[in-house]
Amino acid sequence: MTGTVRTWPRPLRWAMAVLGVAALAVLPMFPPPLLDTPGTSFSWVMAQVAMIALVGLGLNVVVGQAGLLDLGYVGFYAVGAYTVALLTSSESPWHAGGLFASGWAWLAALPLAAAITAVSGLLLGMPTLRLRGDYLAIVTLGFGEIVRLLAENLSEVTNGSRGLREIAYPNVGASAERPEGYFAAGNVIGPIDAGVAWFWLGLGLILLVLVLAGNLERSRVGRAWIAIREDEEAAEIMGVPTFRFKVWAFVVGAALGGLSGAIYAGQVQFVNPTNFNIINSMLFLCAVIIGGRGNKFGVIVGAFLIVYLPNRFMSVELGGQPLGDYKYLFFGIVLVALMVFRPQGVLPARRVRLCYRPADDSEPRR
């Protein structure tokens, strides 16, 4: 199917893409009965899908493209969320007021969250990315736990296990009907409720990340990541500075993780350390593996399955418990089945022949 689409004329592909995005944008406003989530707001479910898709796209850079096993990605997610919380929450000792107390507070904190998380990725990657395989996985797992424990024990700064409340969110569209704007949790009026507003924001960021990630894939950096993923020693022999490009992957992935954490903090307006445990890190990894490592669109499908299915079956009971409560059991079974029957994921990455072609080479690229 993917190969067939690539044979279509470029204007037709762009037209189909625009129609697809438009259909996705109105989906949370008018959910089909077959897709609706009884007992849970479908628009909020889709807003979570968009947020987890952003997390998955960031993790896909590290795991799917560069082939680095990162088990502590939730640490970057936490750094982004706590950056926004510390800058904008009235309970934070670092809340300086000024711009961070205005209606622009969340928007002003967003690039700072991405930048600080990128720096944390650089600081983690510089001493650790000379490790490989299981050793790197253990180090990253430790990083995720260290961030969570710091958030829990630095109670004078982070308020410990009580967390930080009253975090800023985008103050857009305030009116007499919606005094706190479209993004406020209390906005349940009409078809454009808070869930729809957050989904549209997430969808816009996903499109931006897809464009940037697509350009990176086709650049020298993307080709170096693929070479490292396929055979790091061979890449080194061919002159690829593998350590430098692995650090780049960590920094880019960390920045996207921090961006997602900032969105999470704005959505729930509350953060505490239990929101950033190892289980969430495993769920992020599940989205990448189930969707297809290295495939951006596969990761988005994986994020949809991870978030949507537990909410869809929350109203169905098994043994007196909602079926959605068994999500970890089902995800484990699905992962085992995938490893046996389809280890490349639901939508595997397209293998592109990355070799030199003379200008007059008329052979079609496969």
Side-chain angles (χ1 to χ4, degrees):
M1 178 64 184
T2 305
T4 305
V5 172
R6 289 183 182 281
T7 62
W8 294 357
R10 184 180 290 269
L12 178 60
R13 279 186 283 166
W14 274 105
M16 295 301 293
V18 170
L19 285 176
V21 171
L24 270 179
V26 299
L27 183 64
M29 300 166 64
F30 310 104
L34 190 63
L35 281 179
D36 205 357
T37 50
T40 308
S41 168
F42 183 75
S43 61
W44 273 108
V45 171
M46 291 304 291
Q48 291 178 39
V49 168
M51 185 184 65
I52 299 300
L54 270 176
V55 177
L57 287 171
L59 187 56
N60 184 54
V61 172
V62 180
V63 176
Q65 294 185 347
L68 306 171
L69 184 55
D70 186 347
L71 298 181
Y73 194 72
V74 73
F76 299 125
Y77 184 64
V79 170
Y82 266 97
T83 300
V84 173
L86 288 169
L87 289 174
T88 65
S89 170
S90 58
E91 296 181 349
S92 165
W94 293 356
H95 180 51
L99 181 61
F100 296 111
S102 68
W104 297 91
W106 184 85
L107 195 59
L110 187 68
L112 287 175
I116 290 173
T117 316
V119 172
S120 70
L122 178 66
L123 294 177
L124 175 67
M126 290 295 286
T128 62
L129 284 176
R130 298 191 187 281
L131 301 174
R132 296 182 183 179
D134 298 343
Y135 300 103
L136 179 61
I138 293 169
V139 170
T140 53
L141 182 65
F143 168 74
E145 281 298 288
I146 287 170
V147 171
R148 184 183 65 80
L149 291 172
L150 284 175
E152 190 161 352
N153 290 290
L154 294 177
S155 54
E156 293 182 357
V157 178
T158 63
N159 217 14
S161 58
R162 288 173 296 176
L164 295 168
R165 295 172 296 177
E166 300 180 3
I167 298 172
Y169 53 87
N171 191 356
V172 176
S175 63
E177 190 179 22
R178 296 181 178 87
E180 297 180 335
Y182 283 99
F183 290 87
N187 173 27
V188 293
I189 302 171
I192 306 179
D193 60 12
V196 173
W198 281 107
F199 174 71
W200 285 353
L201 177 63
L203 184 62
L205 290 173
I206 287 172
L207 293 175
L208 180 63
V209 170
L210 284 176
V211 172
L212 295 176
N215 286 329
L216 268 179
E217 279 183 7
R218 292 186 291 273
S219 71
R220 178 169 174 256
V221 176
R223 293 194 295 273
W225 285 342
I226 293 174
I228 294 169
R229 180 187 69 193
E230 297 299 325
D231 192 329
E232 186 172 346
E233 292 181 356
E236 282 182 349
I237 292 171
M238 296 303 294
V240 176
T242 56
F243 177 73
R244 185 199 307 168
F245 284 112
K246 286 196 295 185
V247 172
W248 266 109
F250 242 58
V251 170
V252 173
L256 292 177
L259 187 67
S260 312
I263 293 174
Y264 170 77
Q267 277 188 7
V268 300
Q269 299 163 39
F270 169 74
V271 295
N272 73 348
T274 57
N275 297 329
F276 308 103
N277 54 32
I278 187 64
I279 298 295
N280 284 330
S281 204
M282 295 301 110
L283 280 179
F284 300 158
L285 195 58
C286 281
V288 176
I289 292 174
I290 291 175
R293 287 181 298 165
N295 187 330
K296 303 183 293 296
F297 299 101
V299 170
I300 295 172
V301 171
F304 177 79
L305 296 176
I306 290 290
V307 176
Y308 172 77
L309 290 180
N311 287 285
R312 178 67 179 84
F313 295 106
M314 191 60 76
S315 59
V316 180
E317 291 196 351
L318 178 66
Q321 290 288 329
L323 200 58
D325 289 350
Y326 295 97
K327 61 182 179 182
Y328 299 118
L329 172 65
F330 291 127
F331 289 152
I333 294 173
V334 169
L335 281 177
V336 172
L338 273 177
M339 291 304 102
V340 174
F341 299 107
R342 196 175 173 83
Q344 67 272 34
V346 175
L347 294 176
R350 183 172 64 99
R351 296 281 177 178
V352 182
R353 191 177 61 179
L354 299 172
C355 62
Y356 172 74
R357 291 194 311 143
D360 59 351
D361 185 2
S362 58
E363 181 184 351
R365 178 174 292 185
R366 291 178 293 176

